[in-house]
């Protein structure tokens, strides 16, 4: 299954060349990490509202990037490039839409992510996760917003940590919208 959020963000960080506090709402064993079983239990417990199966389009817009050495035009160019890279389309099957896998929000590369908070309460979603980007560094993300049957809207804060650059802070939003039936493959 293709992701709607993190799959878009991790490849976008590669374009730059260049992301946390623990929450225990879903952390049943108290170790500060919410594993896939705890995320699945949280989705069951908090009555996740199913999404509509079909084609979904995600658009990511970065509102701010903190790179003191870059000018305003350079920052805007990077944010535009990241937004272009992060925007995507994906199809949800009937089964995935009724109950997305616990790693639905992690997508490609989710095996490199550690969830520190994961709270789904009806349409409200809040999560914190840290993801490795191989030798390129890591990204810490905090996502909060509302998910509905045909759209979602998340505010996000990202801290990208790069070996040679240090920390780059970014803020933005991700908006997803149901577009209709998936194209025939």
């Amino acid at each position: 299954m293709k992701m709607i959020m993190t799959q878009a963000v991790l490849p976008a960080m590669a374009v730059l060349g260049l992301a946390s506090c623990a929450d225990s709402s879903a952390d049943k064993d108290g170790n500060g990490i919410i594993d896939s079983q705890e995320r699945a239990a949280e989705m069951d417990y908090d009555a996740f509202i199913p999404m509509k199966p079909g084609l979904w389009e995600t658009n990511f817009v970065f509102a701010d990037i903190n790179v003191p050495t870059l000018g305003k035009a350079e920052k805007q160019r990077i944010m535009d490039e990241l937004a272009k890279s992060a925007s995507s389309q994906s199809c949800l099957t009937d089964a995935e839409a009724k109950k997305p896998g616990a790693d639905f929000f992690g997508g490609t590369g989710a095996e490199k992510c550690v969830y520190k908070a994961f709270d789904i309460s009806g349409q409200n979603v809040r999560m914190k996760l840290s993801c490795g980007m191989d030798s390129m560094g890591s990204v810490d993300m905090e996502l909060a917003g509302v998910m509905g049957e045909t759209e979602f809207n998340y505010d996000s804060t990202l801290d990208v940590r790069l070996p040679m650059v240090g920390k780059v802070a970014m803020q933005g939003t991700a908006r997803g919208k149901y577009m209709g039936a998936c194209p025939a493959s």
Side-chain angles (χ1 to χ4, degrees):
M1 167 176 56
K2 294 201 178 181
M3 137 56 220
I4 290 192
M5 181 62 198
T6 306
Q7 174 189 10
V9 173
L10 291 176
M13 295 305 113
V15 171
L16 269 177
L18 310 170
S20 318
C21 301
D23 176 284
S24 61
S25 65
D27 185 13
K28 301 304 179 201
D29 60 11
N31 68 355
I33 297 172
I34 295 112
D35 63 28
S36 61
Q37 291 175 340
E38 290 168 323
R39 291 190 304 274
E42 177 73 4
M43 289 177 76
D44 285 341
Y45 177 77
D46 283 334
F48 174 75
I49 294 175
M51 300 169 69
K52 193 163 180 133
L55 181 65
W56 280 76
E57 182 175 82
T58 301
N59 292 303
F60 210 100
V61 177
F62 291 99
D64 189 31
I65 183 171
N66 182 7
V67 183
T69 59
L70 295 180
K72 187 175 182 178
E74 292 169 310
K75 288 180 183 182
Q76 189 62 53
R77 183 185 60 77
I78 290 170
M79 289 189 299
D80 291 347
E81 185 67 29
L82 287 172
K84 182 179 174 185
S85 297
S87 297
S88 64
Q89 289 189 338
S90 58
C91 283
L92 288 178
T93 66
D94 287 336
E96 291 167 341
K98 289 176 186 166
K99 185 173 178 178
D103 288 322
F104 174 76
F105 300 100
T108 301
E111 67 278 0
K112 298 176 186 173
C113 296
V114 174
Y115 288 76
K116 297 179 180 182
F118 188 85
D119 185 29
I120 296 178
S121 182
Q123 291 183 314
N124 298 309
V125 177
R126 187 179 75 77
M127 61 190 85
K128 291 181 183 181
L129 55 152
S130 295
C131 304
M133 298 186 300
D134 297 321
S135 62
M136 291 179 50
S138 65
V139 60
D140 294 333
M141 290 180 270
E142 185 168 349
L143 310 168
V146 178
M147 174 181 276
E149 182 183 15
T150 59
E151 62 186 335
F152 65 84
N153 188 358
Y154 299 125
D155 290 327
S156 61
T157 302
L158 294 88
D159 289 329
V160 182
R161 290 184 174 76
L162 305 164
M164 301 296 280
V165 177
K167 179 179 159 183
V168 176
M170 302 175 71
Q171 292 183 340
T173 59
R175 292 189 176 104
K177 184 175 182 179
Y178 173 75
M179 302 303 291
C182 291
S185 41

